[in-house]
Amino acid sequence: MAGRIRDEDIAAVRERSDIAEVIGEHVQLRNAGGGNLKGICPFHDEKSPSLSVSPSRGLFHCFGCSAGGDVIRFVERIEHLSFSEAVESLASRAGIQLRYADGGPGTHRQSGQRARLIEAHTVAAAFYQEQLASPEAQPARDFLTGRGFDAAASNQFGCGYAPSGWDSLTKHLLGRGFAPAELTLAGLSRESGRGSLIDRFHRRLLWPIKDVGGEVVGFGARRIHDDDKIEAKYLNTPETPIYKKSQLLYGMDVAKREIARQRQAVIVEGYTDVMACHLAGVTTAVATCGTAFGGEHVNVIRRLWSSNSAEEAQATTKVIFTFDGDAAGMKAAERAFKDEQKFLAQTFVAIDPAGNDPCDLRQSGGDPAVRALIESNVPMLRFMLGTIIKRFDVDTVEGRVAALNLTVPLVAQIKDPSHRFEYARELAKLSGVPNPDEILNRVRGMARAGESQQRPQPPAPVQAGSVPGVPPRVGQAEREVIKAALQLPEVVAEQFDQLGPQAFLTAVHQQLQAAIAAAGGAAAGKTGPAWVERVSEHLPPDSEARAAVNALAVEPLRSGADAQSRYAEAMVVNLAEQVVAREVAQLKSRVQRLDAVGDAEEQGRLFGQLMQLEQRRRALRSKAIGDAS
């Protein structure tokens, strides 16, 4: 049975893992002030960045979907791993040797499933790359050189060759300690008709397919022998726990930083096109892996762009599709157009008039020809309108009506009224309609009808700082105090732990105060994810308070970074002063209800308590002012 990773090793993984760097491999982060970063959340579909990352505290939180936690939790969710697998993945990245609580000296624990599958693919990639140098692989090398890729280019992209032996790779991996079940689960081997284990790929040129973090998760295999019994030009790794073709883009591991920096992505159709583009200097090129470009691919790219609004994203980001000039390329363009508005970016199409793809162009015209192709892009909608119009004889009434029935709805979908107006005029010109107002009126009518039929938007998430049911000023003050106890427990411990249960009026804040007390009080805390996790353990799973812990641990305090400690302490003292003020008000109310003659003794006692409370309130107020100054 698998052992439990030692707590001190888990703590070391948290401490030595740069959460901003890990999340930054999946999401483009930008400065959000207060030492925090923000970006588009990868766990739900959104237009404006709701994800907040606090590098100093090692935590993240999304104010849109409430996903949050430390770096381990992020890796768990983004890679679909168990807790142990996420720790192992981060440990490997940080160079930490993990130890297990039930293992003695020299005991080795079997790695988590994902780690094992990744390791098997890494070994397989090295094996295939070595095989490319064998005499048998000469046709594969000829294929590459014939398309303009020398040995250096082949090595750069890790190209390999699957030998003809039925179980060459399988035997190699079994000899490295992998179990048969692991090889079939990874999609590297399969059962033969006789029940024996054989390689999945034979006599094919291979490209290793990597995830966004640069780990090999699968392979694409091209047919290079005429006598190959499998006629499909390309074979890909089947769906596995680590290979999800709808979420993978070939070349993303090397293109992601430039896609983020240039705010541009170039979508090509094949592995050799990606190679040609990158070698030609188009370093934002990626391609799908054995499937059509779809909505999940859109999300992969969108995460790399962080904008303050959908309008900003639309104005500053650019996606360029390159398609073959044949019928299949046109169908691919139509499929991509269906997802065009999901990008929240300007979308363009680049097609060579002669029908050449980037690889062909590089062979015939060199690197400048590839760059020229990408620079020749035209807006996708203009391309689609022109493509559809060409199918019909618009010189006839029937042809013109049919063409407009397909194109007017496309123009009506444009959200920007000024763009909609210009494209309506352009459509009139393309279709030969002499009066542009005819097209404009149709587009306006269809746009209005579409807007009236739109589904109502879901309610916006509760904004940071708002507390339903409690006056905003009171709720915000309580929120800041809880934030101080979670973010700077060492600073506010003395004052916070003296607050009684009556200090908080909001139910969620009351629960959080109780959880902090159950975790040993702020005096037992130390800034960082471990303290937040300890507090979370004392709250019900999936509760509002459990979600609030991460949000409050990440949300910046309302002060400058250099004054946070003084501000935090002042906020706690101020809340204590408010508690005393409430007690004073209650005592005064009791005094007013007493009979001046019959309750003289009780009245005197209460006056004494009032004097003490007033004195304490003045002391707290002076301290709050001093701490805030």
Side-chain angles (χ1 to χ4, degrees):
M1 186 173 177
R4 182 176 62 83
I5 303 172
R6 293 188 179 186
D7 291 341
E8 53 266 39
D9 288 350
I10 295 174
V13 167
R14 285 196 180 100
E15 184 177 346
R16 290 169 57 180
S17 297
D18 186 334
I19 191 169
E21 182 180 304
V22 172
I23 296 179
E25 291 183 351
H26 302 270
V27 177
Q28 177 67 14
L29 299 174
R30 59 192 299 181
N31 190 353
N36 280 18
L37 304 169
K38 66 179 179 180
I40 297 293
C41 179
F43 304 120
H44 78 289
D45 189 19
E46 64 174 10
K47 297 180 179 180
S48 300
S50 299
L51 183 73
S52 181
V53 181
S54 174
S56 63
R57 298 182 178 93
L59 296 166
F60 77 95
H61 182 79
C62 174
F63 291 95
C65 69
S66 296
D70 61 9
V71 67
I72 299 173
R73 181 59 179 149
F74 181 85
V75 173
E76 278 186 82
R77 291 200 58 166
I78 199 73
E79 301 289 357
H80 305 288
L81 306 180
S82 68
F83 177 83
S84 295
E85 289 172 335
V87 172
E88 288 165 348
S89 175
L90 288 166
S92 175
R93 177 189 183 113
I96 297 173
Q97 181 66 47
L98 296 177
R99 297 164 295 170
Y100 298 85
D102 59 355
T107 300
H108 295 281
R109 174 188 182 271
Q110 182 181 11
S111 298
Q113 182 188 87
R114 177 181 171 82
R116 291 288 291 175
L117 300 187
I118 291 291
E119 185 181 354
H121 276 83
T122 302
V123 174
F127 173 84
Y128 285 140
Q129 192 167 6
E130 184 178 333
Q131 294 299 310
L132 186 60
S134 67
E136 180 190 340
Q138 186 62 51
R141 296 194 297 273
D142 291 343
F143 176 91
L144 290 169
T145 55
R147 281 157 179 74
F149 304 120
D150 57 17
S154 172
N155 289 332
Q156 179 179 337
F157 289 90
C159 297
Y161 178 75
S164 58
W166 284 109
D167 57 0
S168 301
L169 175 66
T170 300
K171 284 182 177 178
H172 179 71
L173 292 172
L174 291 173
R176 295 287 295 269
F178 293 96
E182 291 177 319
L183 303 187
T184 54
L185 182 64
L188 294 168
S189 304
R190 61 183 179 86
E191 281 194 6
S192 69
R194 298 178 180 180
S196 59
L197 204 62
I198 62 173
D199 299 346
R200 179 166 295 276
F201 303 116
H202 306 275
R203 303 172 69 220
R204 288 201 169 215
L205 173 63
L206 296 176
W207 284 265
I209 298 171
K210 300 179 180 180
D211 62 16
V212 70
E215 302 281 12
V216 181
V217 295
F219 294 93
R222 195 192 193 284
R223 187 176 192 263
I224 54 173
H225 294 285
D226 293 338
D227 61 347
D228 190 333
K229 294 182 179 180
I230 300 177
E231 295 187 359
K233 182 184 289 187
Y234 282 95
L235 295 176
N236 287 81
T237 295
E239 292 283 302
T240 73
I242 62 172
Y243 185 86
K244 309 292 183 185
K245 61 185 178 182
S246 63
Q247 302 170 9
L248 288 167
L249 289 166
Y250 177 72
M252 179 58 79
D253 58 307
V254 292
K256 62 186 178 185
R257 297 196 185 282
E258 284 302 301
I259 289 175
R261 187 183 70 82
Q262 298 183 34
R263 300 187 71 79
Q264 170 189 285
V266 175
I267 316 299
V268 298
E269 293 207 299
Y271 307 131
T272 56
D273 292 331
V274 171
M275 293 175 69
C277 283
H278 279 261
L279 293 171
V282 182
T283 53
T284 58
V286 294
T288 58
C289 305
T291 187
F293 193 90
E296 291 189 76
H297 295 125
V298 173
N299 292 335
V300 171
I301 293 175
R302 272 185 52 193
R303 291 172 197 158
L304 299 176
W305 294 324
S306 177
S307 299
N308 290 317
S309 66
E311 291 75 17
E312 180 185 338
Q314 191 82 34
T316 61
T317 55
K318 188 173 183 178
V319 180
I320 303 171
F321 288 88
T322 69
F323 299 110
D324 293 340
D326 55 15
M330 294 302 172
K331 287 184 178 180
E334 291 177 15
R335 284 195 300 267
F337 181 72
K338 292 179 181 179
D339 290 314
E340 186 259 349
Q341 295 206 20
K342 293 181 182 178
F343 272 107
L344 295 180
Q346 302 171 70
T347 53
F348 298 82
V349 175
I351 294 182
D352 178 62
N356 293 313
D357 58 31
C359 184
D360 295 330
L361 282 173
R362 185 169 178 268
Q363 287 177 262
S364 60
D367 293 345
V370 177
R371 294 192 293 269
L373 170 67
I374 304 305
E375 291 167 2
S376 69
N377 61 81
V378 298
M380 178 175 278
L381 181 55
R382 182 179 299 163
F383 168 80
M384 290 302 302
L385 295 177
T387 300
I388 293 171
I389 292 293
K390 288 177 183 177
R391 296 178 188 166
F392 300 92
D393 181 0
V394 292
D395 289 333
T396 67
V397 172
E398 293 79 7
R400 188 162 56 252
V401 169
L404 292 175
N405 285 341
L406 292 176
T407 52
V408 168
L410 299 182
V411 177
Q413 290 175 18
I414 301 174
K415 294 182 179 180
D416 187 320
S418 60
H419 287 183
R420 199 160 57 215
F421 175 82
E422 290 300 328
Y423 272 107
R425 293 178 62 86
E426 188 163 337
L427 178 57
K429 186 183 300 183
L430 288 170
S431 59
V433 175
N435 184 2
D437 288 341
E438 294 182 23
I439 303 297
L440 286 170
N441 291 334
R442 285 188 64 180
V443 168
R444 287 192 186 109
M446 194 167 289
R448 282 195 296 268
E451 290 168 0
S452 65
Q453 293 175 5
Q454 282 183 346
R455 295 178 180 177
Q457 294 296 315
V462 176
Q463 295 298 312
S466 64
V467 183
V470 174
R473 181 181 61 81
V474 176
Q476 183 58 57
E478 293 183 4
R479 186 182 186 91
E480 291 294 288
V481 171
I482 295 292
K483 282 160 58 175
L486 292 172
Q487 297 180 20
L488 300 169
E490 308 99 318
V491 173
V492 302
E494 181 180 354
Q495 296 293 337
F496 183 89
D497 290 343
Q498 290 178 10
L499 293 172
Q502 74 280 11
F504 296 93
L505 303 180
T506 309
V508 170
H509 296 158
Q510 291 169 353
Q511 295 171 38
L512 291 170
Q513 182 196 26
I516 291 170
K526 182 180 179 181
T527 300
W531 166 237
V532 176
E533 183 180 5
R534 279 176 58 189
V535 174
S536 297
E537 289 172 354
H538 295 280
L539 292 165
D542 301 322
S543 66
E544 182 184 355
R546 187 76 171 261
V549 171
N550 286 318
L552 298 179
V554 169
E555 183 183 315
L557 291 164
R558 293 191 166 192
S559 67
D562 58 344
Q564 285 193 346
S565 294
R566 294 196 301 275
Y567 170 82
E569 193 169 5
M571 288 302 298
V572 178
V573 172
N574 183 62
L575 183 61
E577 189 265 334
Q578 290 181 32
V579 174
V580 174
R582 291 199 292 266
E583 292 178 3
V584 168
Q586 291 171 358
L587 272 178
K588 285 183 177 179
S589 177
R590 286 179 61 187
V591 169
Q592 290 173 357
R593 293 195 303 271
L594 290 175
D595 181 79
V597 178
D599 294 325
E601 184 178 345
E602 177 66 8
Q603 197 173 50
R605 189 181 66 82
L606 293 180
F607 268 122
Q609 290 184 14
L610 270 175
M611 293 295 292
Q612 292 177 355
L613 287 173
E614 287 286 7
Q615 187 176 8
R616 173 163 170 72
R617 183 168 67 167
R618 284 194 297 270
L620 287 169
R621 183 174 296 173
S622 297
K623 181 172 177 53
I625 294 171
D627 287 337
S629 62

